[in-house]
Amino acid sequence: MKSALSLFLAALCLYAGPSLRAADPTPAGAEELEANFKATMTAATMSGRWCPLKDGVMGAEKDDKYTIVGVEKVSGSSWIMNAQMRGAVIPIPVQVKWAGDTAVIIVDKLQLPGPNGYGGGASYSARLLVHDHAYAGTWSGGDHGGLMSGVIKNDEKPKP
């Protein structure tokens, strides 16, 4: 009886498994996801909180704010995120991958320009989920890192 049940479950997984998995977005679906991501990240203010994370211990939360001028797809999963930093717009190369309909922004060992590498020579890495005008993720730079989350608001267009 036990082996018959195992055989039935194996057959169910083999034949029903593909229909239970989420389908990859079709090219039309991918275009729509990317268009929505671009609209969300154009003239956007990311406002929230971050906390340091050291040796598995979270520190006190602090307010955080980022201004994103816009994003442009380069090719494949490569994008440029134009961020307002220290009075200048800086193009930041990122990867954007998809977990279903959720964008995952990936920054991997990025050295920002500026004196001493804009942060004492440290390279920065981050993983940031963006969904429904909210974000959450992790970041690290050298010997420090943390968690961040918040909301994304787009600038209102001037009324005529």
Side-chain angles (χ1 to χ4, degrees):
M1 182 70 164
K2 192 174 188 180
S3 61
L5 180 60
S6 297
L7 183 60
F8 172 75
L9 290 175
L12 181 64
C13 290
L14 181 64
Y15 292 108
S19 66
L20 298 175
R21 288 188 211 116
D24 289 335
T26 62
E31 288 174 10
E32 184 179 349
L33 289 173
E34 290 174 352
N36 289 339
F37 174 71
K38 189 172 182 178
T40 298
M41 300 306 290
T42 297
T45 300
M46 301 172 71
S47 180
R49 294 185 179 83
W50 73 277
C51 70
L53 183 61
K54 186 163 178 134
D55 299 327
V57 177
M58 292 172 39
E61 284 190 345
K62 300 175 183 177
D63 289 336
D64 209 5
K65 189 179 277 192
Y66 302 93
T67 301
I68 308 300
V69 175
V71 295
E72 291 295 326
K73 183 174 180 176
V74 177
S75 67
S77 63
S78 297
W79 291 66
I80 297 292
M81 180 173 283
N82 294 300
Q84 182 89 27
M85 299 175 76
R86 297 194 177 198
V89 176
I90 298 177
I92 301 173
V94 301
Q95 296 289 311
V96 177
K97 307 276 181 154
W98 295 93
D101 64 352
T102 303
V104 181
I105 300 171
I106 299 170
V107 176
D108 227 7
K109 299 177 184 155
L110 176 69
Q111 190 87 34
L112 293 177
N116 294 326
Y118 184 81
S123 64
Y124 289 86
S125 294
R127 303 296 185 270
L128 194 67
L129 300 172
V130 176
H131 185 262
D132 198 23
H133 282 81
Y135 66 92
T138 66
W139 61 273
S140 64
D143 65 348
H144 59 292
L147 306 174
M148 56 196 297
S149 63
V151 296
I152 303 169
K153 293 185 180 175
N154 298 96
D155 294 342
E156 291 184 27
K157 296 182 180 181
K159 295 177 183 170

